[in-house]
Every structure is written in structure tokens, then in C-alpha cells.
Amino acid sequence: MKDNSIRLRLMQQEVEQFKNKGKVVTTSQLGPSLAQAISYSLLKDEESEVVSASFIANNIKVLVPRELAKKWTDTDQVGIEGQMLLSEGEYLYILIEKDFKCLQERPNEDESDAFPNPLDTRC
């Protein structure tokens, strides 16, 4: 998250889950109790025509129109993006991406399920 933007990066299994089940949910605990957690839900939406988001009870819910979701999960398209009107002249930028392996090794980061990086000439 940065300013008025949300960026979700999904690993291969998460993209597959989104394709097959229509949703992915993940939670990050920020303190010793579950009350101190934030989660996000990425959901396929049969009725919407645009990417949108809401924030209720510590959950960021991102809705993706069914056809956009299908194209993204069935092809090598990297991302889905949208802008949601917040107020006069203010927008929330939403970006959902397939997460690629980094070109340099990063300690403490599990990239075993990341997508192969198209810039990696070793692949």
C-alpha cells in the first residue's frame, strides 16, 4: 500500500486458486492477538464491470469482474489494474499482479511458488 494505491502480488498457487474457486484470502497478524490482524480477499465478481475495493472489519476486499479474472488467469497477462473513484478528483489505484521470482536472491524470502521471471535468461 502506498498513498491511494493497493498492489496485490499472487504466487502461482494463489492464481490457480483464484481461477478455480473465485477467491483468495490471506491474513497478516500485526500483534499478539487475532484482533491485531489485517487480511485481504480477492474475489471474482459476477456482477461488477470494474475492479473495486472496500475495507470492512480489517479486511481489504478487492472485486474483479469475471471476464477480467478469466483473461488474467488463462493467459500470460501479468496484471489487472483499475481506478476506483473515492471522492471528487480522488481515486484509489488497484493493481493485481502475478508475482515473479526476483533476479537477485533475497534472504528470508520464499519464492519457490513465484512465476518464472521473463527477464531471467537462465530460464
Side-chain angles (χ1 to χ4, degrees), residues 13-44:
Q13 287 183 354
E14 293 169 317
V15 172
E16 194 65 26
Q17 179 183 349
F18 183 60
K19 176 181 180 173
N20 295 328
K21 296 185 178 182
K23 75 177 186 175
V24 173
V25 179
T26 189
T27 300
S28 292
Q29 197 164 326
L30 303 173
S33 75
L34 286 177
Q36 295 173 302
I38 188 167
S39 62
Y40 83 78
S41 306
L42 179 64
L43 305 164
K44 248 188 255 186

Side-chain angles (χ1 to χ4, degrees), residues 60-117:
I60 299 168
K61 181 167 39 171
V62 178
L63 301 175
V64 177
R66 183 178 50 82
E67 287 304 315
L68 273 178
K70 180 171 177 31
K71 181 179 178 193
W72 181 63
T73 59
D74 288 351
T75 67
D76 59 358
Q77 177 182 330
V78 174
I80 298 171
E81 60 185 312
Q83 285 190 326
M84 185 177 90
L85 181 63
L86 299 173
S87 61
E88 188 66 34
E90 293 287 322
Y91 291 87
L92 174 67
Y93 176 69
I94 304 165
L95 179 61
I96 305 144
E97 295 178 305
K98 294 174 180 169
D99 196 7
F100 293 118
K101 290 182 181 176
C102 294
L103 294 176
Q104 296 179 7
E105 226 176 283
R106 296 163 78 182
N108 303 316
E109 192 161 329
D110 179 7
E111 295 186 325
S112 60
D113 191 38
F115 287 85
N117 192 314

